[in-house]
Amino acid sequence: HTHMDSEAALLASGHSAPQVEFLKEGIALVDEGDHYIGSATKHYCHLLANIGEGKGLHRAFSVFLFDGRGRLLLQRRSAQKITFPLLWTNTCCSHPLATPDELEEADHMGVKRAAQRKVDHELGIKSEQFPLDNIHFITRIKYFAAYDNTWGEREIDHILVFRGDVNVVANPEEVAEVRYVTKEDVRELLQHSSDTLTPWFKRITESGLLFQLWDDDQVGSAAQHNLDNIIEL
């Protein structure tokens, strides 16, 4: 461990105990084709030193939840987050755990279960309002983003879309605030406040992918009959 990423240092620099605890979670290591090859801690996978050596590529998911009026639910990451605190991003982003339930690949059930777990944990949206059957897998993206000199992201991100009205009770440990936005609002954010957005949300938006999936659940299957396709952003 370098000094900057030890538990004591993280706690001393104002990160909350739960956030530091989450770094011990075992998440799914994958190869470049998103095939599961073993598990490693969240800590290991997000250290730039490991990413720089080509290690720690892992599976993630990003939920895009649209309400009945077609607005996208955004969250602003809490100040306690170890990476990208206080930046606005899509509804929910996290990692499936390396457990049988969340590793199941048939119909992308593992990432959908992980999404259900985290949407409840971060946003208080109960599974009855966020059923697995209504979570649509669209495509996968691969990206790299450094946060600072210690931490970064290198992951294969499963893009999940959900349409429906939900009750949000944000968990302040995870989420500073939430808001529903229109396409116009997002264009505005991108144009005038892009430094307030997470790198992955920015790239998903700038690439045109967000506006594609905003209107069309079929974007994954129609645009790429080959679902093995992983878009490098």
Side-chain angles (χ1 to χ4, degrees):
H1 290 331
T2 60
H3 295 308
M4 272 315 293
D5 69 29
S6 72
E7 256 179 76
L10 285 165
L11 290 168
S13 61
H15 297 294
S16 65
Q19 293 299 326
V20 175
E21 201 52 36
F22 285 136
L23 288 175
K24 299 175 185 170
E25 286 181 339
I27 59 177
L29 289 176
V30 292
D31 64 14
E32 297 287 332
D34 191 36
H35 305 106
Y36 177 65
I37 53 173
S39 71
T41 63
K42 196 171 157 185
H43 192 154
Y44 176 92
C45 293
H46 291 85
L47 287 176
L48 274 183
N50 293 333
I51 295 171
E53 292 175 11
K55 299 173 185 163
L57 179 66
H58 56 282
R59 187 174 293 158
F61 65 82
S62 270
V63 174
F64 292 78
L65 184 154
F66 298 95
D67 72 358
R69 293 163 53 185
R71 298 175 306 171
L72 173 63
L73 178 62
L74 297 188
Q75 66 153 282
R76 189 174 182 218
R77 292 163 65 86
S78 79
Q80 286 94 328
K81 298 296 272 185
I82 290 163
T83 57
F84 309 105
L86 295 176
L87 294 186
W88 285 95
T89 196
N90 51 290
T91 314
C92 179
C93 312
S94 190
H95 314 89
L97 299 175
T99 59
D101 253 14
E102 296 194 3
L103 288 172
E104 189 182 331
E105 292 185 6
D107 198 26
H108 308 281
M109 282 313 282
V111 285
K112 290 177 184 179
R113 286 191 190 108
Q116 206 179 48
R117 172 176 59 83
K118 288 302 288 185
V119 160
D120 185 358
H121 172 232
E122 295 186 6
L123 297 161
I125 300 168
K126 298 302 168 197
S127 55
E128 306 78 76
Q129 291 197 327
F130 193 76
L132 295 172
D133 292 351
N134 293 3
I135 305 171
H136 300 285
F137 168 79
I138 303 294
T139 188
R140 291 176 289 193
I141 64 166
K142 184 190 296 177
Y143 73 92
F144 163 75
Y147 168 60
D148 58 12
N149 294 327
T150 306
W151 302 101
E153 275 294 3
R154 174 74 176 147
E155 56 188 29
I156 294 183
D157 199 5
H158 293 231
I159 305 297
L160 304 173
V161 166
F162 181 91
R163 297 178 199 279
D165 291 315
V166 294
N167 295 29
V168 177
V169 185
N171 172 359
E173 171 64 39
E174 294 289 326
V175 175
E177 51 183 311
V178 295
R179 63 183 276 213
Y180 283 97
V181 293
T182 62
K183 286 185 197 169
E184 210 32 66
D185 296 330
V186 172
R187 289 195 182 99
E188 190 81 4
L189 276 171
L190 207 53
Q191 206 174 338
H192 300 294
S193 323
S194 75
D195 54 346
T196 66
L197 307 176
T198 61
W200 60 91
F201 182 58
K202 211 184 302 190
R203 285 183 217 171
I204 289 167
T205 306
E206 286 170 344
S207 68
L209 182 59
L210 173 61
F211 295 119
Q212 259 184 301
L213 59 83
W214 203 299
D215 298 316
D216 183 10
D217 272 339
Q218 296 310 309
V219 64
S221 44
Q224 313 133 328
H225 291 294
N226 174 12
L227 277 185
D228 293 341
N229 199 11
I230 297 171
I231 304 165
E232 185 92 47
L233 284 187

